[in-house]
Amino acid sequence: MSPVRTCSRTACKAPAVFTLTYVYRDSTAVLGPLATYAEPHCYDLCAEHSERLTAPMGWELVRLPVEEETEPSADDLEALADAVREAARPAPGTGHEPVGQGTEVGRRGHLRILRSEPAATQPGQE
């Protein structure tokens, strides 16, 4: 199976760039950007077939605007890297595990087996 979806028109092997959906209740055909997943009642169309598309008699054709994908800028990538570094940095003043984490009693690979410590009982609660 090819990772690139092709046009739904018979004998067209061009890559699909738009998705056509019919809204029967409103008698409307909607042509928009390529859907993330192939849906059974939608049609993927190439650029050529989407340009020549006409709606059935009495129907309205709605063409949704297609946003062009832009490459992330160096500033975007740097901001993302800074955010990841900040999230990985330990909080200041915490050199121990948070309260309520339990006691480690064993390991399996990268997993730890923890046992909860019994809650301290307060006077009058039993």
Side-chain angles (χ1 to χ4, degrees):
M1 181 173 181
S2 173
V4 176
R5 296 193 335 231
T6 58
C7 184
S8 297
R9 297 294 300 259
T10 306
C12 182
K13 301 297 180 198
V17 291
F18 295 99
T19 297
L20 173 66
T21 306
Y22 290 105
V23 182
Y24 293 96
R25 180 185 309 172
D26 300 331
S27 299
T28 305
V30 181
L31 183 68
L34 187 63
T36 306
Y37 300 102
E39 297 289 334
H41 300 291
C42 296
Y43 302 92
D44 296 333
L45 298 176
C46 65
E48 180 182 348
H49 284 117
S50 66
E51 289 173 11
R52 299 187 327 196
L53 179 69
T54 58
M57 183 79 72
W59 284 53
E60 181 182 359
L61 177 61
V62 176
R63 292 179 185 266
L64 299 177
V66 178
E67 297 177 11
E68 294 184 23
E69 291 185 25
T70 58
E71 290 291 319
S73 69
D75 291 339
D76 293 340
L77 294 175
E78 194 170 319
L80 179 61
D82 289 342
V84 169
R85 283 189 209 104
E86 183 66 30
R89 189 174 298 140
T94 58
H96 57 82
E97 286 191 18
V99 175
Q101 289 293 319
T103 306
E104 182 175 329
V105 294
R107 284 185 175 265
R108 284 211 174 160
H110 66 282
L111 301 175
R112 298 185 308 163
I113 302 170
L114 302 177
R115 176 167 292 130
S116 297
E117 294 183 18
T121 59
Q122 296 181 2
Q125 291 183 338
E126 305 230 357

